Every structure is written in structure tokens, then in C-alpha cells.
Amino acid sequence: MAHAIGSLLRLARAGWVMAREGLVTAMAPPDPPPIGRLALAVAKIVERKDAVGASRGTRASRALNRLGPSYVKLGQFLATRPDVVGRAMADDLEALQDRVDPFDHDTAEAIVARALGKPIRDLFVDFGQPVAAASIAQVHKARVRGRDDIVRDVAVKVLRPDVEARFKRDLDAFYLAARLIEAVVPPTRRLRLVAVVDTLARSVRLEMDLRLEAAAISELAENAAKDPDFRLPKVDWERTQRGVLTLEWVDGVKLSDRAALQAAGHDLKRLGRIVMQSFLRHAMRDGFFHADMHQGNLFVVPSGDLVAVDLGITGRLAPEERRFLAEILYGFITRDYRRVAQVHFDAGYVPAHQEVEVFAQALRAVGEPLRDRPPAEISMAGLLGQLFEYTDVFDMRTQPRLILLQKTMVVVEGVARSLDSDLDIWTVSEPVVREWVEANLGPGARLADVGESAGALGRLALAVPRLVERLDLASAGLAKWAEAGVRLDAETVEAIAAAEVRRTRPQRLAVWIGAASLAVIAYVMMVS
């Protein structure tokens, strides 16, 4: 009970801050229902004067940074979920950046020494001041002496002190808010808000363990080992633990610094092509991609190679999801909207009670406007985004991994076109998509599928004797159980009933308190 009350108080404070910074009024629809008008009237009373006239993105940034790193991370995460917060709000949140001061140098050294189990002087030749700070960690430039006795520059990423405990408290509040909103506003159940928080919690847990980021860098590096013009920094595993990640220092120019790229003589059109093709290779070929490929995480080294850093957020696509992506892109190219619709139904993304022909009609409304547009104006990410806009109309369940893919594509296309404004996404992507289609949808792929199916049948045949034996044992046990019955004495039944009452009473009370205190937040989530 105390735990639930604590979460409610934290949510109440979040609602107050959002109202003070003008975020509640900025998200208001033109014709709100009565409860919405009441909420807006209260919000306007407490709204700060300097919030009036500020853009919605500015208000969101101020509110979430005031609430702390957990809410900044929530905002950045919701930028990948336009199905939850709306496309306009997602676009506003995309610009959200951590505005966090670095923690002091001595604390960082103490964290590193404790995590690695050695004095800082035994680990590094020198350990410099922080060069970047964010909500979860900050980065220091340091130097190490390798086993070959050569001194090299490294980047050391260090978790912020007490960040895990704070995130845990705030995640508990997010879970409570999601459950209450789904209970109070039934239409939001389609959005699977609890599942959204689940995804955020998993993402944060991964980011909190820097060994997993190191593993992601290592995996992507192996996948991209033979890719032209793209690589990852090397991991210093000897100086990497749960709270510390040490990487090769990348001495290059950020893609965000266009003037420096031109001054260094780099071909910007070529770099735009590398960004787009590298992402598609990783997503379609490997099913594992860097999901935060903004310009600040991409460097160009003197050789001209593109080097990606900060793999705290990654995405995965199962083989059937990659096939789905390839099929719908091919279907739109050939204008076979009936086929694209059927692929959605076959994948289970559209409920069976809907009509394939009606969904195909909606897809035609998406695809036909693209026919007469110049190639440089057509966006794959925009195409997927329009598809996902039909989730509500056709009762489609949210597919978080595909939406993460689509939002990453938005960022990647934006980065590529910032380097080459005339970039033809389809022409650049065609070799990568064609290679994947030939490898996975051609005759060779069908033969491989037959081989896999035969192998699965063989394993099943070998397992049949064990399954029969277990079934016999289970049947005998059930027969004895049915014959003897299950008996509970009166005291046991009373104890179970009393325990159930004690268990559910606080939950019922928390739900009613939460429903009342979160009316404003529920309303905002419903209309945004």
C-alpha cells in the first residue's frame, strides 16, 4: 500500500510539473469533453507565464528535464511510438536531448575503480574530465597502455551514481499510470500501455548494464565485418564491467558537422549512401540494427569510413518480420495492394474479422499518391508510418518492433538527406533489398526452408518416445487425482479467503485513489 501511494505521489508531482510548464494545455484538442475542459481550466491556472507562447517541443523539453532523467528517457522512448502519443507529439519529442550536468570527476574515478576492482592508476595512464553527459551515463577520455606497451586513447562510459534506484522508482510509477489509464479509459487498451512500459523497462535495463552495450557493439561489428565503409569501435573488455564501458577512441568528424566534413574533403553524397545502405543491411540481412543512428552517434574517420557509437538502444527483427517488410515494399513497388493486404493478414497484424479487400483499398490510398512524385520525395519510413496510421481503423494491434524500425528509418533517412538533399532512397536501397530478396525469397531460400522443416520433423520423431512416456505418467497421475479428489479442510478454506481479502483490499483502494488523481494524465494520454 505504501509502495502504491509513493507511486501515486510521484505521478501527481509529474502532472503538476507538466501543467506548470504548459504541456497539458499544449496537448489539448480543439473540442475537449467536459472532463477535459475542467482539466484544462485547472492547468491554465497553474501554468507559468513564460510557458505561454513557447512551442510544444520546448514545453515538453522543459517539463521532462525538470522531472529528471527517467522522464527524459520516457520522452525519447515515446518519440519512437507515434501510435501512443500521436505523430505530431512524437515529432516534437524527437528533438528532446538530455540536459544533464556531469557528475564530479572524483566520483567517476571511484565508480570505475570499484567496478573494475583496481586503483585507477593501475587501469589508465591518465583519466580525463568528462567530454559528454547524459541521463544514464557520462563519457571520459582516457589513455591506456596495451599489452604491446603502446599507449592508446580510449572512451570510458560511466553509469551515473544511484541512477538504477531512481529509474526503478519511476518505472514503478509508469506501470501504475499505464494500468490506471487502461482501467479508466478503455479505448487506450488497444495501445497496450503496460506493454509499452514493459518495452521501456527492458530498454532501460539493457542500458544500465554496459556489458550488454559492449556485447551489442561486438555483435554488430561481427555482422558488419565485411561491409564496405562501415565499422564499430573495438571494445576493451579488460576495462569493461556492468557500470563501465571502455572503447577505442574514435578520432573523426561527427556527421552533424557538415562544414568540417567538407573541409576534410569527404564526399557527402557518398556518406549519405553509406548511412542508408548500412542501416538496411543490418536490419534486413542481420535482423539487428542500431536504433539511435542520429548524426551525433556517427563519425567519419580520416579513411572515409563511417563509425557508429552509443549502441544503448538496438532493434531486432525476427525472420518473419524481415520477410513481411520485404514483401510489403515489393508489393507497393508493383502496385499489388491485394498482396500487401494479404501479407498483413497472414502475419496476424490485422484481425481475421476484417476484410482483406477493404484493407487493400486503404493501402491503395497510401500507395497511389506516390506514383507521380519524384523519387527524391518518396520515403520508405513515411510509407511505413502511413501504414501504421491505419492501426486504429482496422483494430490492428501495436507491433513495437516494427514501429521502432519505422522511427529509426525516419532518423536514418533524415541523416542521409541532410548529406544529400537529392538522395533517391529507392535507387540507393535497391541493391540491398534485391540481395535480401534473392537470398531469402528465391529458389535457394525455399530449399533451405525445406531442409529446416525436415530437420524439425526429425527432431520431433526422436522426441516422440519421451513425449509418450511423459503423457502416460501424467495420465496416471490425473486418474488418481480424479479418483481421490482434492480435499481442503474448513480452516484451510477460511485462511485462503482471508488472505485473498487482505491481498485485494489495498489494490482496490489504490485503483480508486489512482483513478481520481490521474484523471488529467489519463485525459492527456487519451487525446494526444
Side-chain angles (χ1 to χ4, degrees):
M1 185 63 182
H3 180 75
I5 290 175
S7 294
L8 286 170
L9 291 174
R10 281 189 286 275
L11 289 173
R13 175 180 177 269
W16 168 261
V17 171
M18 290 179 187
R20 283 285 288 163
E21 296 298 337
L23 187 57
V24 172
T25 55
M27 296 173 67
D31 186 23
I35 188 175
R37 289 194 291 272
L38 176 61
L40 289 172
V42 174
K44 286 179 180 178
I45 293 172
V46 302
E47 186 176 296
R48 291 158 55 103
K49 291 182 179 180
D50 59 357
V52 179
S55 69
R56 187 166 62 178
T58 299
R59 298 184 191 195
S61 180
R62 286 177 181 172
L64 297 179
N65 275 288
R66 248 188 87 183
L67 288 168
S70 305
Y71 284 84
V72 171
K73 184 59 63 179
L74 174 66
Q76 292 171 335
F77 176 76
L78 289 177
T80 70
R81 300 300 306 271
D83 57 312
V84 175
V85 298
R87 180 167 299 279
M89 190 64 193
D91 291 342
D92 289 334
L93 291 173
E94 272 184 2
L96 182 64
Q97 299 293 325
D98 292 350
R99 296 177 182 174
V100 183
D101 293 330
F103 55 93
D104 65 274
H105 184 266
D106 290 344
T107 301
E109 286 193 348
I111 291 172
V112 172
R114 184 167 59 252
L116 300 180
K118 292 181 181 179
I120 202 80
R121 63 179 178 274
D122 294 343
L123 295 163
F124 301 95
V125 174
D126 61 65
F127 189 86
Q129 296 293 326
V131 295
S135 58
I136 288 180
Q138 65 186 35
V139 178
H140 296 252
K141 186 174 183 179
R143 293 194 302 159
V144 299
R145 187 178 300 278
R147 297 182 184 277
D148 55 6
D149 208 38
I150 296 177
V151 175
R152 296 180 175 86
D153 291 334
V154 292
V156 185
K157 188 173 183 178
V158 187
L159 277 187
R160 302 184 74 88
D162 302 323
V163 68
E164 292 182 83
R166 179 163 187 175
F167 266 89
K168 184 181 184 307
R169 289 194 300 270
D170 287 336
L171 281 170
D172 288 342
F174 297 162
Y175 271 116
L176 180 59
R179 293 189 184 101
L180 291 172
I181 290 169
E182 287 188 351
V184 175
V185 190
T188 63
R189 292 171 191 165
R190 180 189 62 82
L191 301 175
R192 301 163 65 193
L193 297 181
V194 174
V196 170
V197 181
D198 281 336
T199 305
L200 173 63
R202 283 194 298 272
S203 173
V204 169
R205 281 197 296 271
L206 292 176
E207 286 194 73
M208 293 291 183
D209 190 339
L210 298 182
R211 294 170 301 185
L212 296 177
E213 182 177 345
I217 293 171
S218 176
E219 181 179 351
L220 193 59
E222 286 184 8
N223 293 342
K226 295 182 180 179
D227 290 356
D229 309 318
F230 183 92
R231 69 178 181 86
L232 283 299
K234 295 178 181 177
V235 178
D236 183 342
W237 288 102
E238 186 178 347
R239 297 173 180 83
T240 294
Q241 277 298 332
R242 192 174 192 283
V244 178
L245 169 63
T246 304
L247 299 171
E248 162 197 1
W249 181 263
V250 179
D251 191 10
V253 181
K254 283 187 179 182
L255 276 192
S256 56
D257 194 343
R258 185 184 181 93
L261 291 172
Q262 291 175 321
H266 294 298
D267 183 345
L268 300 188
K269 292 182 180 291
R270 169 183 164 274
L271 291 175
R273 185 173 66 250
I274 293 171
V275 170
M276 196 68 215
Q277 291 184 340
S278 296
F279 166 72
L280 284 174
R281 283 193 189 96
H282 304 154
M284 298 190 68
R285 179 193 64 195
D286 309 320
F288 181 58
F289 58 93
H290 190 329
D292 197 17
M293 282 184 67
H294 61 74
Q295 292 158 310
N297 285 340
L298 298 170
F299 291 81
V300 184
V301 294
S303 66
D305 287 351
L306 190 69
V307 182
V309 300
D310 195 359
L311 267 74
I313 303 174
T314 55
R316 290 189 184 274
L317 296 176
E320 59 270 19
E321 291 167 330
R322 286 179 261 167
R323 179 169 297 193
F324 167 79
L325 176 63
E327 292 249 32
I328 63 173
L329 290 177
Y330 180 75
F332 272 104
I333 291 171
T334 60
R335 300 179 60 225
D336 188 350
Y337 304 114
R338 180 65 169 70
R339 174 58 187 159
V340 177
Q342 190 62 55
V343 167
H344 278 76
F345 278 80
D346 292 344
Y349 295 158
V350 181
H353 68 267
Q354 298 289 341
E355 296 181 38
V356 176
E357 289 75 14
V358 176
F359 189 60
Q361 180 182 351
L363 297 178
R364 181 179 292 274
V366 172
E368 287 301 296
L370 301 177
R371 292 195 61 202
D372 299 325
R373 296 176 63 182
E377 295 181 8
I378 298 175
S379 163
M380 281 191 292
L383 175 67
L384 290 177
Q386 290 183 63
L387 284 179
F388 296 147
E389 287 179 359
Y390 281 112
T391 57
D392 190 17
V393 177
F394 290 93
D395 298 325
M396 296 166 63
R397 297 195 72 184
T398 300
Q399 304 297 326
R401 295 204 291 191
L402 291 178
I403 291 179
L404 178 61
L405 170 75
Q406 187 261 336
K407 290 302 292 184
T408 306
M409 288 178 72
V410 169
V411 174
V412 170
E413 286 186 2
V415 171
R417 284 191 164 135
S418 73
L419 297 164
D420 178 8
S421 58
D422 297 323
L423 184 72
D424 182 345
I425 294 293
W426 298 110
T427 300
V428 169
S429 304
E430 190 272 337
V432 180
V433 176
R434 185 183 69 245
E435 181 182 353
W436 189 92
V437 169
E438 290 174 352
N440 293 275
L441 301 180
R446 285 194 285 271
L447 287 174
D449 288 343
V450 170
E452 288 182 8
S453 299
L457 288 173
R459 290 191 294 273
L460 179 60
L462 291 173
V464 164
R466 294 194 301 275
L467 292 173
V468 171
E469 182 181 352
R470 291 176 183 173
L471 184 60
D472 286 341
L473 291 172
S475 298
L478 286 171
K480 290 180 180 179
W481 192 15
E483 181 180 350
V486 179
R487 296 183 178 86
L488 297 176
D489 58 40
E491 291 183 1
T492 303
V493 173
E494 290 178 4
I496 291 174
E500 183 65 14
V501 170
R502 289 194 302 270
R503 183 180 71 82
T504 59
R505 185 185 297 120
Q507 292 177 352
R508 292 197 302 270
L509 181 58
V511 167
W512 284 108
I513 294 174
S517 65
L518 287 177
V520 174
I521 297 177
Y523 166 72
V524 170
M525 290 293 290
M526 177 179 65
V527 300
S528 60

